């Protein structure tokens, strides 16, 4: 009974990238938890009714506390299990990792969310692949068949409008270059630990967004072969979902531009 009362409960939406980052954090910390799968949009009312500080996933109930937000959860888990750290001990390195984590949460994460919802508006059949293994309280097939209003609402709530998504795609190559640079500088990339390697909170934050982006056939090739793609695969080895190419070809043209080679000396 007591164990049941104290078990952590993580609220997620299937396919949610920050929720996947939080799942990995709990796994890496060795903290047992129960996952509660929620339907997008409907999740907001559920989390509000449960009196979480905000109405997004990931939200975590743990040790009598209620937390919302991937970065908040990372910090709380680190103070609970400091022996398996998600941030470097060195002050300067910690600042760099936190900067990368914040950028991942505030820039990359919403952009990938907009791209995904825009793609699902064009073809919502792949929704089922993101819900693999989820328990939504209704058969997945039925949930997908009746998901049109949810997809439309998620598009509105996330402002996944065509012009915004086209801008996101035009920025993506530059963002990938920034991530590759952070990897080369040692800001991103797992710490070696006696039991293997331990990704940082920034690796998980950015890796989860990249893994979701890589679930889109439109984007996978651009990301997978780069250091950024490798980092994502190591940080989040399993990520459900696969969406066939659906975005307009013209929007993807900036991704095919080769990066400027340095001018010969
Ligand atoms: N940036 C926050 C926000 C998370 C967020 O917006 N999560 C989305 C899912 S990826 C959500 O809960 N959306 C509510 C909905 O779809 O109705 C974090 O990292 O925790």
């Amino acid at each position: 009974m007591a164990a049941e009362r104290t078990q952590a409960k993580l609220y997620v939406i299937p396919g949610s990238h920050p929720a996947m980052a939080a799942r990995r954090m709990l796994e890496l910390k060795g903290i047992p938890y129960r996952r509660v799968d929620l339907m997008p949009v409907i999740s907001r009312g559920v989390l509000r009714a449960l009196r979480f500080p905000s109405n997004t996933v990931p939200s975590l109930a743990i040790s009598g506390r209620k937390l919302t937000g991937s970065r908040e959860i990372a910090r709380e888990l680190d103070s609970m299990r400091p022996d398996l750290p998600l941030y470097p001990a060195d002050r300067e390195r910690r600042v760099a990792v936190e900067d990368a984590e914040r950028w991942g949460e505030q820039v990359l994460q919403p952009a990938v969310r907009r791209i995904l919802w825009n793609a699902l508006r064009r073809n919502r059949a792949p929704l089922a692949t993101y819900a693999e293994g989820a328990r939504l309280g209704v058969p997945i097939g039925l949930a997908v068949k009746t998901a049109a209003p949810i997809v439309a609402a998620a598009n509105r709530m996330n402002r996944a409008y065509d012009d915004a998504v086209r801008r996101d795609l035009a920025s993506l190559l530059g963002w990938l270059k920034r991530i590759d640079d952070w990897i080369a500088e040692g800001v991103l990339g797992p710490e070696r630990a006696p039991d293997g390697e331990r990704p940082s909170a920034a690796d998980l934050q950015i890796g989860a967004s990249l893994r979701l982006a890589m679930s889109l056939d439109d984007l996978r090739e651009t990301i997978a072969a780069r250091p950024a793609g490798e980092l994502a695969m190591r940080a989040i080895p399993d990520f459900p979902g696969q969406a066939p190419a659906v975005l307009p070809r013209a929007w993807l043209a900036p991704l095919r531009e080769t990066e400027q080679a340095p001018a010969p000396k």
Side-chain angles (χ1 to χ4, degrees):
M1 233 356 221
E4 217 174 75
R5 263 205 307 274
T6 55
Q7 188 175 40
K9 243 192 223 180
L10 181 69
Y11 294 81
V12 309
I13 292 172
S16 157
H17 39 333
M20 183 57 91
R23 284 171 65 175
R24 283 289 287 147
M25 288 172 205
L26 285 157
E27 278 165 26
L28 289 162
K29 295 276 186 188
I31 299 175
Y33 70 98
R34 189 156 82 76
R35 194 183 82 217
V36 181
D37 298 306
L38 301 172
M39 294 268 262
V41 181
I42 292 163
S43 56
R44 296 181 182 223
V46 175
L47 295 169
R48 205 174 293 122
L50 291 170
R51 299 185 180 283
F52 277 95
S54 188
N55 60 1
T56 53
V57 303
S59 281
L60 177 68
I62 192 163
S63 304
R65 296 199 56 205
K66 287 189 171 170
L67 309 162
T68 295
S70 51
R71 284 166 60 214
E72 289 75 3
I73 289 171
R75 274 157 192 75
E76 177 69 16
L77 296 183
D78 236 29
S79 66
M80 288 177 69
R81 287 293 311 261
D83 54 319
L84 298 169
L86 291 166
Y87 298 91
D90 175 79
R91 220 181 126 74
E92 217 172 290
R93 288 206 57 225
R94 179 169 180 135
V95 169
V97 166
E98 285 182 334
D99 285 349
E101 182 199 26
R102 188 179 317 105
W103 175 86
E105 194 241 349
Q106 294 180 356
V107 178
L108 187 65
Q109 186 200 103
V112 172
R113 186 179 294 115
R114 282 189 292 270
I115 296 170
L116 180 81
W117 280 119
N118 190 289
L120 290 173
R121 173 167 63 75
R122 292 159 195 276
N123 174 14
R124 58 173 200 279
L127 264 174
T129 67
Y130 292 90
E132 209 177 84
R135 282 186 300 254
L136 290 166
V138 282
I140 303 291
L142 180 66
V144 172
K145 272 205 192 93
T146 54
I150 286 182
V151 173
N155 266 269
R156 272 195 313 276
M157 285 171 176
N158 292 296
R159 304 180 163 275
Y161 305 127
D162 287 358
D163 52 352
V165 170
R166 200 168 181 174
R167 271 197 305 277
D168 292 332
L169 291 168
S171 302
L172 186 58
L173 212 51
W175 291 338
L176 292 172
K177 169 86 172 68
R178 171 184 294 211
I179 296 167
D180 288 351
D181 288 348
W182 273 331
I183 294 168
E185 291 159 14
V187 173
L188 294 178
E191 294 275 334
R192 244 174 247 120
D195 52 342
E197 43 179 47
R198 189 177 310 122
S200 73
D203 295 345
L204 296 173
Q205 179 68 245
I206 290 175
S209 286
L210 293 175
R211 288 294 270 123
L212 180 59
M214 286 160 77
S215 74
L216 299 169
D217 287 0
D218 279 316
L219 302 183
R220 186 175 314 107
E221 249 179 54
T222 305
I223 303 170
R226 315 178 57 114
E230 282 170 35
L231 172 100
M233 292 300 293
R234 282 161 76 184
I236 318 269
D238 299 309
F239 198 109
Q242 195 240 324
V246 70
L247 295 170
R249 296 287 92 192
W251 296 11
L252 300 168
L255 297 175
R256 286 192 288 274
E257 281 164 19
T258 50
E259 285 159 34
Q260 289 287 309
K265 288 199 176 141

